[in-house]
Amino acid sequence: MTDLPLRDPDPQPPRQQCVALVDDDRNILTAVSIGLQAEGFATRVYTDGETALKALLENPPDLAIFDIKMPRMDGLQLLQSLRQQSTLPVIFLTSRDEEPDEALGLAMGADDYITKPFSQRLLVARIRAILRRSELVRSQADDAATQETTETVVRGRLEFDPSRHQVSWAGKPVSLTVTEFLIVEALATRPGVVKSRNQLLDAAYNEDVFVDDRTIDSHIKRLRRKFRAVDAEFSAIETLYGAGYSFTDG
């Protein structure tokens, strides 16, 4: 009798990525949820910001999509509260007359925004682009964790690890979003060199995200607040009026 070849065990199916949707319009929630499930995503839906915040912190999805205009806690308030404890990737849904809110949302730490009405294809493309970036960050962190040597870059009291997206100041960790980290990295890689707002936008955003260059000013203010939370005397990010920003820690 001929022995049958041993079968390899069935490979584990890839983990299904989860997208949380937060919108008080149930019709939009239903339509977007069905569309994303058809593309292979798991979805969770929430009709108000307060309920969503608790769920997003207790059981984080891979990405969240917020409508800006909601009762009780709108999308901007939800993002502000979320960013105090989480760097979860976030996309905003906005209306055509909400440009100031779009810029504010990006400055507060949103990863992207999409203007309504939008196509399902565009939404899925944006979601996958952000998830690829997040997966790359996680993969780099996992790779770095298996290496004996680290890739930490030291600039005076600043230390940052590009592979792990980790930052510390004077030995104290500073929690940054991916966008904030990319701005710090762009500045600190070449201390003393002035970076224009457009150069920092290029470093921090995908090519298909169009934001006002003044958004960088808001990011810089948030970065200074975060660093000053661990060192009240922090002044390493300098403003050169009319030119841009530079990093120095002499």
Side-chain angles (χ1 to χ4, degrees):
M1 178 182 293
T2 303
D3 292 336
L4 294 175
L6 294 176
R7 287 187 57 193
D8 292 331
D10 292 335
Q12 291 293 323
R15 185 182 69 85
Q16 191 175 30
Q17 293 177 307
C18 181
V19 177
L21 308 171
V22 189
D23 197 318
D24 62 318
D25 188 327
R26 294 180 182 274
N27 291 328
I28 291 179
L29 284 178
T30 300
V32 174
S33 182
I34 291 174
L36 291 182
Q37 289 173 16
E39 294 290 338
F41 295 100
T43 59
R44 304 179 204 151
V45 298
Y46 307 96
T47 56
D48 70 89
E50 291 181 355
T51 301
L53 177 62
K54 185 174 184 294
L56 295 175
L57 292 174
E58 290 181 351
N59 186 19
D62 293 285
L63 180 143
I65 300 174
F66 299 165
D67 186 39
I68 284 187
K69 301 299 184 184
M70 295 185 293
R72 296 174 59 189
M73 176 184 285
D74 66 24
L76 294 174
Q77 294 169 324
L78 174 56
L79 178 63
Q80 184 178 38
S81 298
L82 181 69
R83 280 291 174 257
Q84 294 173 5
Q85 305 177 63
S86 172
T87 59
L88 175 74
V90 171
I91 295 176
F92 267 130
L93 298 182
T94 72
S95 299
R96 293 190 183 279
D97 60 350
E98 294 174 352
E99 289 185 6
D101 288 341
E102 294 165 359
L104 180 57
L106 290 169
M108 292 170 61
D111 294 87
D112 201 350
Y113 69 85
I114 296 178
T115 303
K116 294 184 286 189
F118 55 87
S119 71
Q120 185 75 16
R121 180 179 298 178
L122 173 63
L123 178 61
V124 170
R126 295 288 184 87
I127 290 172
R128 287 181 171 155
I130 292 173
L131 289 176
R132 280 197 301 270
R133 185 173 75 167
S134 298
E135 288 292 338
L136 177 61
V137 171
R138 280 195 291 268
S139 176
Q140 290 173 336
D142 291 342
D143 290 344
T146 63
Q147 298 174 3
E148 294 183 1
T149 59
T150 66
E151 300 180 15
T152 300
V153 179
V154 179
R155 296 288 186 269
R157 286 168 285 177
L158 176 73
E159 294 185 13
F160 65 96
D161 186 337
S163 62
R164 294 185 175 92
H165 278 217
Q166 293 177 347
V167 174
S168 65
W169 179 262
K172 299 177 181 178
V174 182
S175 178
L176 304 181
T177 66
V178 171
T179 300
E180 292 166 348
F181 178 89
L182 292 173
I183 292 173
V184 170
E185 182 182 32
L187 289 170
T189 297
R190 300 185 65 192
V193 175
V194 178
K195 295 281 188 176
S196 70
R197 294 183 180 89
N198 284 334
Q199 287 174 317
L200 294 176
L201 282 174
D202 289 342
Y205 286 101
N206 297 328
E207 292 181 357
D208 57 353
V209 177
F210 302 100
V211 298
D212 189 281
D213 61 1
R214 294 291 174 176
T215 298
I216 290 296
D217 298 343
S218 298
H219 281 304
I220 294 294
K221 290 178 183 178
R222 285 176 53 81
L223 283 167
R224 285 171 174 157
R225 284 199 299 269
K226 288 188 174 184
F227 279 101
R228 286 171 182 163
V230 301
D231 178 3
E233 303 300 320
F234 176 84
S235 60
I237 299 178
E238 297 185 343
T239 303
L240 285 87
Y241 293 98
Y245 298 94
S246 68
F247 176 87
T248 180
D249 187 38

